[in-house]
Amino acid sequence: MATWVEDEIGRKWDRCFTDAIFKFGGGILLGGVFSLFFFKRRKWPVITGASFGLGMAYSNCQEDLNSTIRQQKSRNCSKLDEAKQSS
């Protein structure tokens, strides 16, 4: 069964958002644990953990979407024009 490129990109965007939510939440959770046990309940470990999670999600999403774009074959329009002119 053939899949449309738009459908594949839509699924990848959905995975990107899900990945971002999980990594953001995990960063907040891990930053909260470090803040609670090691840094006397400061805010910066939570913010740092959340930003690291979002950064990792952004990097994964960028690579995933760029691989889809690179897979698409470029069309050679000159061959199409020659075929139309010869007909």
Side-chain angles (χ1 to χ4, degrees):
M1 184 168 113
T3 60
W4 293 92
V5 176
E6 293 86 2
D7 293 339
E8 185 177 346
I9 290 175
R11 282 192 296 273
K12 287 191 177 192
W13 271 108
D14 290 342
R15 276 190 298 211
C16 285
F17 287 130
T18 304
D19 189 39
I21 289 170
F22 280 125
K23 288 192 170 138
F24 180 72
I28 287 177
L29 183 67
L30 194 60
V33 168
F34 272 85
S35 174
L36 183 63
F37 290 123
F38 299 114
F39 296 109
K40 299 180 185 177
R41 298 184 184 185
R42 306 271 183 189
K43 291 181 186 177
W44 68 266
V46 177
I47 295 169
T48 303
S51 60
F52 277 135
L54 282 177
M56 288 174 50
Y58 177 81
S59 177
N60 290 343
C61 185
Q62 182 181 16
E63 183 62 36
D64 199 21
L65 289 173
N66 284 340
S67 69
T68 302
I69 293 169
R70 274 186 252 127
Q71 284 178 354
Q72 292 180 7
K73 295 178 184 174
S74 63
R75 296 181 182 170
N76 192 350
C77 295
S78 63
K79 288 183 181 178
L80 293 175
D81 291 336
E82 290 172 4
K84 286 182 183 178
Q85 289 176 358
S86 66
S87 327

